[in-house]
């Protein structure tokens, strides 16, 4: 028996969250499904090698600080993917994933946002 899906609210855009030297390697945004908050993540992927799309002119240490390789290895562990799994955006090809956000972490994000302004 099919189960009805609650209403889904996707972000209209994703924000760059990567390092200053290559901000578009990681994108993020917020979604809501049936009143529950989720965090959407995206990593730019090189389709030739199906690996993170590192810029040649950016030092590896910059990416290491953002744990790009670690995130990628965890995604590969969860499920294998191929080029058909990527989403083509203006800044490249991306794999997307999302995770639930607790109300405590949402409150913390709001608090952090208030401190920065």
């Amino acid at each position: 028996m099919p189960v009805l899906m609650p209403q889904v609210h996707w972000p209209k855009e994703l924000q760059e969250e990567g390092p200053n030297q290559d901000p578009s390697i990681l994108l993020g945004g917020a979604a809501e499904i049936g009143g529950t908050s989720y965090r959407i993540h995206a990593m730019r992927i090189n389709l030739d090698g199906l690996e993170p799309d590192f810029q040649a002119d950016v030092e590896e240490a910059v990416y290491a600080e953002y744990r790009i390789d670690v995130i990628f290895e965890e995604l590969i562990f969860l499920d294998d993917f191929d080029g058909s799994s990527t989403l083509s955006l203006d800044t490249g090809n991306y794999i997307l994933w999302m995770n639930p956000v607790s109300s405590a972490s949402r409150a913390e994000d709001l608090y952090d946002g208030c401190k920065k302004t």
Side-chain angles (χ1 to χ4, degrees):
M1 162 174 88
V3 176
L4 291 177
M5 182 72 175
Q7 189 169 12
V8 178
H9 297 280
W10 292 103
K12 292 183 181 181
E13 56 189 28
L14 297 173
Q15 301 299 313
E16 293 179 329
E17 296 182 345
N20 290 337
Q21 299 88 332
D22 186 8
S24 69
I25 192 161
L26 294 175
L27 304 176
E32 187 177 286
I33 302 174
T36 302
S37 297
Y38 291 85
R39 183 88 177 119
I40 297 176
H41 306 274
M43 179 185 295
R44 194 178 64 233
I45 297 296
N46 175 333
L47 291 180
D48 292 334
L50 288 176
E51 58 192 13
D53 185 18
F54 296 134
Q55 299 291 326
D57 60 338
V58 177
E59 293 182 30
E60 287 183 33
V62 170
Y63 294 114
E65 184 177 329
Y66 278 72
R67 300 181 51 188
I68 304 291
D69 282 330
V70 174
I71 295 168
F72 182 74
E73 290 298 323
E74 290 176 359
L75 290 171
I76 293 294
F77 175 77
L78 291 174
D79 200 0
D80 199 11
F81 66 91
D82 59 23
S84 68
S85 305
T86 62
L87 177 65
S88 181
L89 301 174
D90 291 342
T91 51
N93 295 296
Y94 289 82
I95 53 172
L96 269 67
W97 71 99
M98 59 189 254
N99 58 287
V101 177
S102 71
S103 57
S105 66
R106 281 185 64 205
E108 192 173 295
D109 286 345
L110 290 172
Y111 176 73
D112 286 345
C114 292
K115 290 193 316 187
K116 293 176 187 173
T117 57

